[in-house]
Amino acid sequence: MEISSLVELALTRECKAITYKRELPPNQRVIPRFIIYDVYDPPSNAEPSELKLRVTGHVAHKLEIPYVDILTKLPCVDLTTDFHCVTGWSVLNVKWRGVPTRYLLELAKPMGNYVMAVGLDGYTTNLPLEALMEDTSIVAFAMNGKILPREHGYPLRLVVPSRYGWKSAKYLGQLVVMDENERGYWELLGYHDNGDPWLEERYQQQETLRSMRRRVRFIKE
């Protein structure tokens, strides 16, 4: 399938509409657009036909799903939700299109209670399995009516609205089911394991990350 036809089908096929809407979490301020953070350099672009999402680890059935199938064949949802960054800003009513993580995990049949999301850039973040079994957690391939932009995580991004944004791993390449909890990149540096914005689960110790540096890019949207 040509790229133009692939994109058209991905963006126009029928998807179930869902919304995750709650009050603004404590000590968040609303801003009009995302501030872009990257821990590592974004991965090099690859041909859509070469991209795959893997579900591995403690599962009954390991999955290796072509990116093209995610865009055009797997069940999809249109998710409208707010995005909350641990640094204190929120963007309201972001529209994502993607495949429910619950659908993927049920195919794989997890045998552990934790999941590590692994980006193609090497980024990692851990989550309890129950967070990815929520109906509103998805692997997104589109954002605001367009194929996911590179700065927001192309080709795929994990989106978990019930957690702070660092748990929504960009450039997603793999979900690894674990029988014991292990910490990801930011969690090893002091971020909270669970990351619930409404409980203000920002850091394991509130003073931990005052002086830590992130790479920040401001992008007009």
Side-chain angles (χ1 to χ4, degrees):
M1 184 181 295
E2 295 183 358
I3 295 297
S4 58
S5 300
L6 176 68
V7 169
E8 182 179 2
L9 179 56
L11 297 178
T12 59
R13 67 186 179 114
E14 187 174 349
C15 299
K16 179 183 178 181
I18 58 175
T19 300
Y20 186 94
K21 191 70 174 178
R22 297 175 63 179
E23 71 282 1
L24 193 68
N27 295 308
Q28 293 290 116
R29 71 188 189 284
V30 176
I31 64 173
R33 61 182 61 87
F34 280 72
I35 301 170
I36 305 299
Y37 300 126
D38 281 313
V39 171
Y40 305 113
D41 289 329
S44 300
N45 282 339
E47 289 294 322
S49 60
E50 299 173 359
L51 295 168
K52 295 179 180 179
L53 175 68
R54 294 174 173 83
V55 183
T56 63
H58 289 267
V59 296
H61 306 292
K62 293 183 179 181
L63 304 180
E64 193 169 276
I65 305 172
Y67 173 71
V68 173
D69 288 356
I70 293 173
L71 266 61
T72 61
K73 295 181 180 179
L74 271 58
C76 61
V77 297
D78 285 325
L79 169 66
T80 301
T81 189
D82 302 335
F83 185 96
H84 306 297
C85 181
V86 69
T87 59
W89 55 264
S90 298
V91 176
L92 304 183
N93 299 318
V94 185
K95 299 183 185 301
W96 307 93
R97 170 169 281 210
V99 176
T101 54
R102 181 173 184 170
Y103 172 81
L104 298 172
L105 289 165
E106 286 179 345
L107 287 179
K109 299 189 182 307
M111 297 184 292
N113 292 318
Y114 304 93
V115 177
M116 187 74 77
V118 182
L120 297 173
D121 59 343
Y123 178 78
T124 56
T125 187
N126 58 302
L127 290 139
L129 177 69
E130 62 186 21
L132 298 186
M133 298 301 282
E134 295 170 357
D135 291 338
T136 51
S137 293
I138 69 171
V139 174
F141 58 79
M143 176 185 181
N144 294 332
K146 298 179 180 179
I147 289 296
L148 195 65
R150 181 175 172 82
E151 62 269 18
H152 287 290
Y154 175 86
L156 299 169
R157 180 174 191 160
L158 183 63
V159 177
V160 187
S162 63
R163 302 301 194 271
Y164 282 118
W166 91 83
K167 294 290 190 179
S168 293
K170 297 197 291 186
Y171 321 117
L172 186 68
Q174 189 170 189
L175 295 173
V176 183
V177 177
M178 306 180 292
D179 58 353
E180 295 183 3
N181 193 28
E182 297 180 20
R183 291 174 175 172
Y185 178 88
W186 284 115
E187 293 82 10
L188 285 170
L189 292 172
Y191 277 56
H192 199 282
D193 260 5
N194 191 48
D196 185 322
W198 290 271
L199 298 178
E200 279 206 274
E201 294 176 337
R202 299 177 192 270
Y203 312 124
Q204 295 169 46
Q205 296 178 344
Q206 290 300 93
E207 70 275 7
T208 300
L209 300 173
R210 299 293 183 192
S211 62
M212 288 194 64
R213 296 181 178 178
R214 292 165 171 257
R215 291 195 299 165
V216 181
R217 292 182 288 140
F218 294 90
I219 296 178
K220 277 190 167 184
E221 297 186 20

